[in-house]
Coordinates of all heavy atoms in Angstrom, one line a residue:
M1 N -9.3 13.6 11.2 CA -9.4 12.5 10.2 C -10.8 12.3 10.0 O -11.6 12.0 10.9 CB -8.6 11.2 10.7 CG -8.6 10.2 9.5 SD -7.5 8.9 10.1 CE -5.9 9.5 9.6
S2 N -11.3 12.2 8.7 CA -12.7 11.9 8.4 C -13.1 10.4 8.6 O -12.1 9.6 8.6 CB -13.0 12.4 7.1 OG -12.4 11.5 6.1
E3 N -14.4 10.1 8.6 CA -14.8 8.8 8.8 C -14.4 8.0 7.6 O -14.0 6.9 7.6 CB -16.3 8.8 9.0 CG -16.8 7.4 9.5 CD -18.2 7.4 9.9 OE1 -18.6 8.4 10.6 OE2 -18.9 6.5 9.5
K4 N -14.5 8.7 6.4 CA -14.1 8.0 5.1 C -12.7 7.7 5.1 O -12.3 6.5 4.7 CB -14.4 9.0 3.9 CG -14.2 8.3 2.6 CD -14.5 9.2 1.4 CE -14.1 8.4 0.2 NZ -13.9 9.2 -1.0
E5 N -11.7 8.5 5.6 CA -10.4 8.2 5.7 C -10.2 7.0 6.8 O -9.3 6.1 6.5 CB -9.5 9.4 6.2 CG -9.4 10.5 5.1 CD -8.8 11.8 5.7 OE1 -9.1 12.2 6.8 OE2 -8.1 12.5 4.8
D6 N -10.8 7.1 7.8 CA -10.7 5.9 8.7 C -11.0 4.6 8.1 O -10.4 3.7 8.3 CB -11.7 6.2 10.0 CG -11.1 7.2 10.9 OD1 -10.0 7.7 10.8 OD2 -11.9 7.6 11.8
E7 N -12.1 4.7 7.4 CA -12.7 3.4 6.7 C -11.6 3.0 5.7 O -11.4 1.8 5.6 CB -14.1 3.6 6.0 CG -15.1 3.7 7.0 CD -15.3 2.4 7.7 OE1 -15.2 1.3 7.2 OE2 -15.6 2.6 9.0
E8 N -11.0 3.9 4.9 CA -10.0 3.5 4.0 C -8.8 2.9 4.7 O -8.2 1.8 4.1 CB -9.5 4.8 3.1 CG -10.6 5.2 2.2 CD -10.1 6.6 1.5 OE1 -9.1 7.1 1.8 OE2 -11.0 7.0 0.7
I9 N -8.3 3.4 5.8 CA -7.2 2.8 6.5 C -7.6 1.5 7.0 O -6.8 0.6 6.8 CB -6.7 3.8 7.7 CG1 -6.2 5.0 7.1 CG2 -5.8 3.0 8.6 CD1 -5.9 6.2 8.1
L10 N -8.8 1.3 7.6 CA -9.2 0.0 8.1 C -9.3 -1.0 6.9 O -8.9 -2.2 7.1 CB -10.6 0.1 8.7 CG -10.6 0.8 10.0 CD1 -12.0 1.0 10.6 CD2 -9.8 0.1 11.1
E11 N -9.7 -0.5 5.8 CA -9.8 -1.4 4.6 C -8.4 -1.9 4.2 O -8.2 -3.1 3.8 CB -10.5 -0.7 3.5 CG -11.3 -1.5 2.6 CD -12.1 -2.6 3.2 OE1 -12.9 -2.5 4.1 OE2 -11.9 -3.8 2.7
T12 N -7.4 -1.0 4.3 CA -6.0 -1.3 3.9 C -5.5 -2.3 4.8 O -4.9 -3.3 4.4 CB -5.1 -0.1 3.9 OG1 -5.6 0.9 3.0 CG2 -3.7 -0.4 3.6
V13 N -5.7 -2.2 6.2 CA -5.3 -3.1 7.1 C -5.9 -4.4 6.9 O -5.2 -5.5 6.9 CB -5.5 -2.6 8.6 CG1 -5.1 -3.7 9.6 CG2 -4.7 -1.4 8.8
K14 N -7.2 -4.5 6.7 CA -7.9 -5.7 6.4 C -7.3 -6.4 5.2 O -7.2 -7.7 5.3 CB -9.5 -5.4 6.1 CG -10.3 -5.3 7.2 CD -11.7 -5.1 6.6 CE -12.8 -5.1 7.7 NZ -14.1 -4.9 7.0
S15 N -7.1 -5.7 4.2 CA -6.5 -6.4 2.9 C -5.1 -6.9 3.1 O -4.8 -7.7 2.3 CB -6.7 -5.5 1.7 OG -5.8 -4.4 1.9
S16 N -4.5 -6.5 4.2 CA -3.2 -7.0 4.4 C -3.1 -8.4 4.9 O -2.0 -9.0 4.9 CB -2.4 -6.0 5.3 OG -2.9 -6.1 6.6
V17 N -4.2 -8.8 5.4 CA -4.3 -10.3 5.9 C -4.3 -11.2 4.7 O -5.0 -11.0 3.8 CB -5.5 -10.5 6.8 CG1 -5.6 -11.9 7.1 CG2 -5.5 -9.6 7.9
D18 N -3.4 -12.1 4.7 CA -3.3 -13.1 3.5 C -4.2 -14.3 3.9 O -3.9 -15.1 4.7 CB -1.9 -13.5 3.4 CG -1.7 -14.4 2.2 OD1 -2.7 -14.9 1.6 OD2 -0.5 -14.5 1.8
F19 N -5.3 -14.3 3.3 CA -6.3 -15.4 3.6 C -6.0 -16.7 3.0 O -6.5 -17.8 3.5 CB -7.7 -14.9 3.1 CG -8.4 -13.9 4.1 CD1 -8.4 -12.5 3.8 CD2 -8.7 -14.3 5.4 CE1 -8.9 -11.6 4.7 CE2 -9.3 -13.3 6.2 CZ -9.3 -12.0 5.9
S20 N -5.0 -16.7 2.1 CA -4.6 -18.1 1.7 C -3.7 -18.7 2.8 O -3.8 -19.9 3.0 CB -3.6 -18.0 0.4 OG -2.5 -17.2 0.6
I21 N -3.0 -17.9 3.6 CA -2.4 -18.4 4.8 C -3.3 -18.8 5.8 O -3.2 -19.9 6.4 CB -1.3 -17.3 5.3 CG1 -0.3 -17.2 4.3 CG2 -0.8 -17.8 6.7 CD1 0.7 -16.0 4.7
V22 N -4.4 -18.0 6.0 CA -5.4 -18.4 7.0 C -6.1 -19.7 6.6 O -6.3 -20.6 7.4 CB -6.5 -17.2 7.1 CG1 -7.7 -17.7 8.0 CG2 -5.9 -16.0 7.7
T23 N -6.4 -19.8 5.3 CA -6.9 -21.1 4.8 C -6.0 -22.3 5.0 O -6.4 -23.3 5.5 CB -7.3 -21.0 3.3 OG1 -8.2 -19.8 3.2 CG2 -8.0 -22.2 2.8
D24 N -4.7 -22.1 4.7 CA -3.8 -23.1 4.9 C -3.8 -23.5 6.4 O -3.7 -24.7 6.7 CB -2.4 -22.7 4.5 CG -2.2 -22.7 3.0 OD1 -3.1 -23.2 2.3 OD2 -1.2 -22.1 2.5
N25 N -3.8 -22.6 7.3 CA -3.7 -22.9 8.7 C -5.0 -23.6 9.1 O -4.9 -24.6 10.0 CB -3.6 -21.6 9.5 CG -2.2 -21.0 9.4 OD1 -1.3 -21.7 9.2 ND2 -2.1 -19.7 9.7
I26 N -6.2 -23.2 8.6 CA -7.4 -23.9 8.9 C -7.4 -25.3 8.5 O -7.8 -26.2 9.2 CB -8.6 -23.1 8.3 CG1 -8.9 -21.8 9.2 CG2 -9.9 -24.0 8.3 CD1 -9.9 -20.9 8.7
L27 N -6.9 -25.5 7.3 CA -6.8 -26.9 6.8 C -5.8 -27.7 7.6 O -6.0 -28.9 7.9 CB -6.3 -26.9 5.3 CG -7.5 -26.3 4.3 CD1 -6.9 -26.2 2.9 CD2 -8.7 -27.2 4.4
G28 N -4.7 -27.1 8.0 CA -3.7 -27.7 8.9 C -4.3 -28.2 10.2 O -4.1 -29.2 10.7
I29 N -5.2 -27.3 10.8 CA -5.9 -27.6 12.1 C -6.8 -28.8 11.8 O -6.9 -29.7 12.6 CB -6.5 -26.3 12.5 CG1 -5.4 -25.3 13.1 CG2 -7.5 -26.7 13.7 CD1 -6.1 -23.9 13.4
A30 N -7.5 -28.6 10.8 CA -8.5 -29.8 10.5 C -7.8 -31.0 10.3 O -8.3 -32.1 10.9 CB -9.3 -29.4 9.2
D31 N -6.8 -31.1 9.5 CA -6.0 -32.4 9.4 C -5.5 -32.9 10.7 O -5.6 -34.2 11.0 CB -4.9 -32.2 8.4 CG -5.3 -32.0 7.0 OD1 -6.4 -32.4 6.7 OD2 -4.5 -31.5 6.1
F32 N -4.9 -32.0 11.4 CA -4.4 -32.4 12.8 C -5.5 -33.0 13.8 O -5.2 -34.1 14.4 CB -3.6 -31.2 13.5 CG -3.2 -31.6 14.8 CD1 -1.9 -32.2 14.9 CD2 -3.9 -31.2 16.0 CE1 -1.4 -32.6 16.1 CE2 -3.3 -31.5 17.3 CZ -2.2 -32.3 17.3
V33 N -6.6 -32.2 13.8 CA -7.7 -32.7 14.7 C -8.2 -34.1 14.2 O -8.5 -34.9 15.0 CB -8.8 -31.6 14.8 CG1 -10.0 -32.2 15.4 CG2 -8.3 -30.4 15.5
I34 N -8.4 -34.2 12.9 CA -8.8 -35.5 12.4 C -7.9 -36.7 12.8 O -8.2 -37.6 13.2 CB -9.1 -35.4 10.9 CG1 -10.3 -34.6 10.7 CG2 -9.4 -36.9 10.3 CD1 -10.6 -34.1 9.3
E35 N -6.6 -36.4 12.5 CA -5.5 -37.4 12.8 C -5.5 -37.7 14.2 O -5.3 -38.9 14.6 CB -4.2 -36.9 12.2 CG -4.1 -37.0 10.8 CD -2.8 -36.3 10.1 OE1 -1.9 -36.1 10.9 OE2 -2.8 -36.0 9.0
K36 N -5.6 -36.7 15.1 CA -5.6 -36.9 16.6 C -6.8 -37.8 17.0 O -6.6 -38.7 17.7 CB -5.6 -35.6 17.2 CG -5.7 -35.6 18.8 CD -5.8 -34.2 19.4 CE -5.9 -34.4 20.9 NZ -6.1 -33.0 21.5
Y37 N -8.0 -37.5 16.3 CA -9.2 -38.3 16.7 C -9.0 -39.8 16.3 O -9.3 -40.7 17.1 CB -10.4 -37.8 15.9 CG -11.6 -38.5 16.1 CD1 -12.5 -38.3 17.2 CD2 -12.0 -39.5 15.2 CE1 -13.6 -39.1 17.6 CE2 -13.1 -40.4 15.5 CZ -13.9 -40.1 16.6 OH -15.0 -40.9 16.8
E38 N -8.4 -40.0 15.0 CA -8.1 -41.3 14.6 C -7.2 -42.0 15.5 O -7.3 -43.2 15.8 CB -7.6 -41.3 13.2 CG -8.7 -40.9 12.2 CD -8.1 -40.7 10.8 OE1 -6.9 -40.4 10.6 OE2 -8.8 -41.0 9.8
F39 N -6.1 -41.3 16.0 CA -5.1 -41.9 16.9 C -5.7 -42.3 18.3 O -5.5 -43.4 18.7 CB -3.9 -41.0 17.0 CG -2.9 -41.5 17.9 CD1 -2.0 -42.5 17.5 CD2 -2.8 -41.1 19.3 CE1 -1.1 -43.0 18.4 CE2 -1.8 -41.5 20.1 CZ -0.9 -42.4 19.7
K40 N -6.4 -41.3 18.8 CA -7.0 -41.6 20.1 C -8.1 -42.7 20.1 O -8.2 -43.3 21.1 CB -7.6 -40.2 20.6 CG -6.6 -39.2 21.1 CD -7.3 -37.9 21.6 CE -8.1 -38.1 22.8 NZ -8.7 -36.9 23.3
N41 N -8.8 -42.8 19.0 CA -9.8 -43.8 18.9 C -9.5 -45.0 18.2 O -10.4 -45.8 17.9 CB -11.1 -43.1 18.3 CG -11.7 -42.0 19.3 OD1 -12.2 -42.4 20.2 ND2 -11.4 -40.8 19.0
D42 N -8.2 -45.0 17.7 CA -7.7 -46.2 17.0 C -8.7 -46.6 15.9 O -9.1 -47.7 15.8 CB -7.5 -47.4 17.9 CG -6.6 -48.5 17.3 OD1 -5.8 -48.2 16.4 OD2 -6.8 -49.7 17.7
C43 N -8.9 -45.6 15.0 CA -9.8 -45.8 13.9 C -9.3 -45.0 12.7 O -8.4 -44.2 12.8 CB -11.2 -45.5 14.2 SG -11.5 -43.7 14.4
T44 N -9.9 -45.3 11.6 CA -9.5 -44.5 10.3 C -10.9 -44.0 9.7 O -11.8 -44.9 9.5 CB -8.8 -45.3 9.2 OG1 -7.6 -45.8 9.9 CG2 -8.5 -44.5 8.1
L45 N -11.0 -42.8 9.6 CA -12.3 -42.2 8.9 C -12.3 -42.6 7.5 O -11.3 -42.6 6.8 CB -12.3 -40.6 9.2 CG -12.9 -40.1 10.4 CD1 -12.1 -40.5 11.7 CD2 -13.0 -38.6 10.4
T46 N -13.5 -42.8 7.1 CA -13.6 -43.0 5.6 C -13.4 -41.7 4.9 O -13.4 -40.5 5.6 CB -15.1 -43.4 5.3 OG1 -16.0 -42.4 5.6 CG2 -15.4 -44.7 6.1
E47 N -13.3 -41.7 3.6 CA -13.0 -40.5 2.8 C -14.3 -39.5 3.0 O -14.0 -38.3 3.0 CB -12.8 -40.9 1.3 CG -12.3 -39.7 0.6 CD -10.9 -39.1 1.0 OE1 -10.1 -39.9 1.5 OE2 -10.7 -37.9 0.9
E48 N -15.4 -40.1 2.9 CA -16.6 -39.3 3.1 C -16.7 -38.6 4.5 O -16.9 -37.5 4.7 CB -17.8 -40.2 2.9 CG -19.1 -39.4 2.9 CD -20.3 -40.3 2.7 OE1 -20.4 -41.0 1.7 OE2 -21.3 -40.2 3.5
Q49 N -16.3 -39.4 5.6 CA -16.2 -38.8 6.9 C -15.2 -37.7 7.0 O -15.5 -36.7 7.6 CB -16.0 -39.9 8.0 CG -17.1 -40.9 8.2 CD -16.7 -42.0 9.1 OE1 -15.6 -42.6 9.0 NE2 -17.6 -42.5 10.0
R50 N -14.1 -38.0 6.4 CA -13.0 -37.0 6.5 C -13.4 -35.6 5.8 O -13.2 -34.6 6.3 CB -11.8 -37.6 5.8 CG -10.5 -36.7 5.8 CD -9.2 -37.5 5.3 NE -8.9 -38.4 6.2 CZ -8.0 -38.1 7.3 NH1 -7.5 -37.0 7.5 NH2 -7.6 -39.1 8.1
K51 N -14.1 -35.8 4.6 CA -14.6 -34.6 3.8 C -15.6 -33.9 4.7 O -15.5 -32.6 4.7 CB -15.1 -35.0 2.4 CG -14.1 -35.3 1.4 CD -14.6 -35.7 0.1 CE -13.6 -36.1 -0.9 NZ -14.2 -36.4 -2.3
E52 N -16.5 -34.6 5.2 CA -17.5 -33.9 6.0 C -17.0 -33.3 7.3 O -17.3 -32.1 7.6 CB -18.6 -35.0 6.5 CG -19.8 -34.3 7.2 CD -20.9 -35.4 7.6 OE1 -20.9 -36.5 7.0 OE2 -21.8 -35.0 8.3
A53 N -16.1 -33.9 8.0 CA -15.4 -33.4 9.2 C -14.6 -32.2 8.7 O -14.6 -31.1 9.5 CB -14.5 -34.5 9.8
T54 N -13.9 -32.2 7.6 CA -13.1 -31.1 7.2 C -14.0 -29.9 6.9 O -13.6 -28.7 7.3 CB -12.2 -31.4 6.0 OG1 -11.3 -32.5 6.3 CG2 -11.4 -30.3 5.4
A55 N -15.1 -30.1 6.2 CA -16.0 -29.1 5.9 C -16.5 -28.4 7.2 O -16.7 -27.2 7.4 CB -17.1 -29.6 5.0
K56 N -17.0 -29.3 8.1 CA -17.5 -28.7 9.4 C -16.5 -28.0 10.2 O -16.8 -26.9 10.8 CB -18.1 -29.9 10.2 CG -19.3 -30.5 9.6 CD -20.6 -30.1 10.2 CE -21.7 -31.0 9.7 NZ -22.9 -30.4 10.0
I57 N -15.3 -28.5 10.2 CA -14.3 -27.8 11.0 C -13.9 -26.5 10.3 O -13.8 -25.4 11.0 CB -13.0 -28.8 11.1 CG1 -13.3 -29.9 12.0 CG2 -11.8 -27.9 11.6 CD1 -12.2 -31.0 11.9
K58 N -13.8 -26.4 9.0 CA -13.6 -25.2 8.3 C -14.6 -24.2 8.6 O -14.3 -23.0 8.8 CB -13.4 -25.5 6.8 CG -12.2 -26.0 6.3 CD -12.1 -26.4 4.8 CE -12.7 -25.4 3.9 NZ -12.6 -25.9 2.5
E59 N -15.9 -24.6 8.5 CA -17.0 -23.7 8.8 C -16.9 -23.1 10.2 O -17.0 -21.9 10.4 CB -18.3 -24.5 8.7 CG -19.5 -23.6 8.8 CD -20.8 -24.5 8.7 OE1 -20.8 -25.4 7.7 OE2 -21.7 -24.4 9.5
A60 N -16.6 -24.0 11.2 CA -16.5 -23.5 12.5 C -15.3 -22.5 12.7 O -15.5 -21.5 13.4 CB -16.4 -24.7 13.5
L61 N -14.2 -22.8 12.2 CA -13.0 -22.0 12.3 C -13.2 -20.6 11.6 O -12.7 -19.6 12.0 CB -11.8 -22.6 11.9 CG -11.4 -23.8 12.7 CD1 -10.1 -24.6 12.1 CD2 -11.3 -23.6 14.1
W62 N -13.9 -20.6 10.4 CA -14.2 -19.4 9.8 C -15.1 -18.5 10.5 O -14.9 -17.3 10.4 CB -14.8 -19.6 8.3 CG -13.6 -19.8 7.3 CD1 -13.2 -21.0 6.6 CD2 -12.6 -18.8 6.9 NE1 -12.1 -20.8 5.9 CE2 -11.8 -19.5 6.0 CE3 -12.5 -17.5 7.2 CZ2 -10.7 -18.8 5.4 CZ3 -11.4 -16.8 6.5 CH2 -10.6 -17.5 5.6
V63 N -15.9 -19.0 11.3 CA -16.8 -18.3 12.1 C -15.9 -17.5 13.1 O -16.1 -16.2 13.4 CB -17.9 -19.1 12.9 CG1 -18.5 -18.3 14.1 CG2 -18.9 -19.6 11.9
Q64 N -14.9 -18.2 13.6 CA -13.9 -17.5 14.6 C -13.1 -16.5 13.9 O -12.9 -15.4 14.4 CB -13.1 -18.6 15.2 CG -13.8 -19.5 16.2 CD -12.9 -20.3 17.0 OE1 -11.9 -20.8 16.5 NE2 -13.3 -20.5 18.3
V65 N -12.8 -16.7 12.7 CA -12.0 -15.7 11.8 C -12.8 -14.5 11.6 O -12.3 -13.3 11.9 CB -11.6 -16.3 10.5 CG1 -11.0 -15.2 9.6 CG2 -10.5 -17.4 10.6
E66 N -14.1 -14.7 11.4 CA -15.0 -13.5 11.2 C -15.1 -12.7 12.5 O -15.1 -11.5 12.6 CB -16.4 -13.9 10.7 CG -16.3 -14.4 9.3 CD -15.9 -13.3 8.3 OE1 -16.3 -12.2 8.5 OE2 -15.1 -13.7 7.4
T67 N -15.2 -13.4 13.6 CA -15.3 -12.8 14.9 C -14.0 -12.0 15.2 O -14.0 -10.9 15.7 CB -15.5 -13.9 16.0 OG1 -16.7 -14.6 15.8 CG2 -15.6 -13.2 17.4
L68 N -12.8 -12.7 14.9 CA -11.6 -11.9 15.0 C -11.5 -10.7 14.2 O -10.9 -9.6 14.7 CB -10.4 -12.9 14.7 CG -10.1 -13.9 15.8 CD1 -9.1 -15.0 15.2 CD2 -9.7 -13.4 17.1
K69 N -11.9 -10.7 13.0 CA -11.9 -9.6 12.1 C -12.8 -8.5 12.7 O -12.4 -7.2 12.7 CB -12.5 -10.0 10.8 CG -11.5 -10.7 9.9 CD -12.0 -11.3 8.7 CE -12.8 -10.5 7.8 NZ -13.3 -11.2 6.5
L70 N -13.9 -8.8 13.2 CA -14.8 -7.7 13.9 C -14.0 -7.1 15.1 O -14.1 -5.9 15.3 CB -16.1 -8.3 14.3 CG -17.0 -8.6 13.1 CD1 -18.2 -9.3 13.6 CD2 -17.4 -7.4 12.4
G71 N -13.4 -8.0 15.8 CA -12.8 -7.5 17.1 C -11.5 -6.6 16.6 O -11.2 -5.6 17.2
R72 N -10.8 -7.0 15.5 CA -9.7 -6.3 15.1 C -10.2 -4.9 14.6 O -9.5 -3.9 14.9 CB -8.9 -7.0 13.9 CG -7.8 -6.1 13.4 CD -7.1 -6.9 12.2 NE -8.0 -6.9 11.1 CZ -7.9 -7.6 10.2 NH1 -6.9 -8.6 10.1 NH2 -8.8 -7.6 9.2
K73 N -11.3 -4.8 14.0 CA -11.8 -3.6 13.5 C -12.1 -2.7 14.6 O -11.8 -1.5 14.6 CB -13.1 -3.9 12.7 CG -13.7 -2.6 12.1 CD -14.9 -2.8 11.2 CE -15.5 -1.6 10.6 NZ -16.6 -1.8 9.8
S74 N -12.7 -3.2 15.7 CA -13.0 -2.5 17.0 C -11.7 -1.9 17.6 O -11.7 -0.8 18.1 CB -13.9 -3.4 17.8 OG -14.1 -2.7 19.0
I75 N -10.7 -2.8 17.7 CA -9.4 -2.4 18.3 C -8.8 -1.3 17.5 O -8.4 -0.3 18.1 CB -8.6 -3.6 18.4 CG1 -9.0 -4.5 19.5 CG2 -7.1 -3.1 18.8 CD1 -8.3 -5.8 19.5
L76 N -8.8 -1.4 16.2 CA -8.2 -0.4 15.3 C -9.0 1.0 15.5 O -8.3 2.0 15.6 CB -8.2 -0.8 13.8 CG -7.3 -1.8 13.4 CD1 -7.5 -2.3 12.0 CD2 -5.8 -1.3 13.5
Q77 N -10.3 0.9 15.6 CA -11.0 2.1 15.8 C -10.7 2.7 17.2 O -10.4 3.9 17.2 CB -12.6 1.8 15.8 CG -13.4 3.1 15.9 CD -13.1 4.0 14.6 OE1 -13.2 3.6 13.5 NE2 -12.8 5.3 15.0
E78 N -10.5 1.9 18.1 CA -10.2 2.5 19.5 C -8.8 3.1 19.4 O -8.6 4.1 20.0 CB -10.2 1.3 20.5 CG -11.6 0.8 20.9 CD -11.5 -0.4 21.9 OE1 -10.4 -0.7 22.4 OE2 -12.6 -1.1 21.9
M79 N -7.9 2.5 18.7 CA -6.5 3.1 18.5 C -6.6 4.5 17.8 O -5.9 5.3 18.2 CB -5.6 2.1 17.6 CG -5.3 0.8 18.4 SD -4.4 -0.4 17.5 CE -2.8 0.4 17.3
F80 N -7.4 4.5 16.8 CA -7.6 5.8 16.0 C -8.2 6.9 16.9 O -7.8 8.0 17.0 CB -8.4 5.7 14.8 CG -7.7 5.1 13.5 CD1 -7.8 3.8 13.2 CD2 -6.7 5.9 13.0 CE1 -7.1 3.3 12.2 CE2 -5.9 5.4 11.9 CZ -6.2 4.2 11.4
D81 N -9.2 6.4 17.8 CA -9.8 7.4 18.7 C -8.8 7.8 19.8 O -8.7 8.9 20.1 CB -11.0 6.7 19.4 CG -12.1 6.4 18.5 OD1 -12.2 7.0 17.4 OD2 -13.1 5.6 18.8
S82 N -8.0 6.9 20.3 CA -7.0 7.2 21.3 C -6.0 8.1 20.6 O -5.5 9.1 21.4 CB -6.2 6.0 21.8 OG -7.2 5.2 22.5
A83 N -5.5 7.9 19.4 CA -4.6 8.8 18.8 C -5.2 10.3 18.7 O -4.4 11.2 18.8 CB -4.2 8.3 17.4
E84 N -6.4 10.3 18.2 CA -7.0 11.6 18.0 C -7.1 12.3 19.3 O -7.0 13.5 19.4 CB -8.4 11.4 17.3 CG -8.2 11.1 15.9 CD -9.6 10.9 15.2 OE1 -10.7 11.1 15.8 OE2 -9.6 10.5 13.9
N85 N -7.5 11.6 20.4 CA -7.6 12.2 21.8 C -6.3 12.7 22.2 O -6.1 13.8 22.8 CB -8.2 11.2 22.8 CG -9.6 10.9 22.5 OD1 -10.4 11.6 21.9 ND2 -10.1 9.7 23.0
A86 N -5.2 11.9 22.0 CA -3.8 12.4 22.4 C -3.5 13.6 21.6 O -2.9 14.7 22.1 CB -2.8 11.3 22.0
L87 N -3.8 13.7 20.3 CA -3.5 14.9 19.4 C -4.2 16.1 20.0 O -3.7 17.2 20.1 CB -3.8 14.6 18.0 CG -3.6 15.8 17.1 CD1 -2.2 16.4 17.1 CD2 -4.0 15.4 15.7
T88 N -5.5 15.9 20.3 CA -6.4 16.9 20.7 C -5.9 17.5 22.1 O -5.8 18.7 22.4 CB -7.8 16.5 20.9 OG1 -8.4 16.0 19.7 CG2 -8.7 17.5 21.5
S89 N -5.3 16.5 22.9 CA -4.8 17.0 24.2 C -3.6 17.8 24.0 O -3.4 18.9 24.7 CB -4.4 15.7 25.0 OG -3.7 16.1 26.2
V90 N -2.7 17.6 23.1 CA -1.6 18.3 22.8 C -2.0 19.7 22.3 O -1.4 20.7 22.6 CB -0.6 17.6 21.8 CG1 0.5 18.6 21.2 CG2 0.0 16.4 22.4
M91 N -2.9 19.6 21.3 CA -3.4 20.9 20.7 C -4.1 21.8 21.8 O -4.0 23.1 21.6 CB -4.3 20.6 19.5 CG -3.6 19.8 18.5 SD -2.0 20.4 18.0 CE -2.5 22.0 17.2
N92 N -4.7 21.3 22.8 CA -5.3 22.1 23.8 C -4.5 22.6 24.9 O -4.8 23.5 25.7 CB -6.6 21.3 24.4 CG -7.7 21.1 23.5 OD1 -7.8 21.8 22.5 ND2 -8.4 20.1 23.6
D93 N -3.2 22.1 24.9 CA -2.2 22.5 26.0 C -1.7 23.8 25.6 O -1.5 24.3 24.7 CB -1.2 21.5 26.3 CG -1.7 20.3 27.1 OD1 -2.7 20.4 27.6 OD2 -1.1 19.2 27.1

């Protein structure tokens, strides 16, 4: 398999992630963490504080999403390498 074909497969897998779902989950986490903070501290954030907190939380979580995407790409590459090694082993026997 050529490097170009590998990249095309990786691109297909990448595009299969529904980032609207990821965004919904991130917003859900942000809401939960803010509500938990308010409950634990018996307070209510102002609308401005809530917007700022949500923005910072989203930013922090998207950094993790990007890290996961890089990790997934690495794992997929390892899988392709393993598959090619297995095939080569069969062909050499």
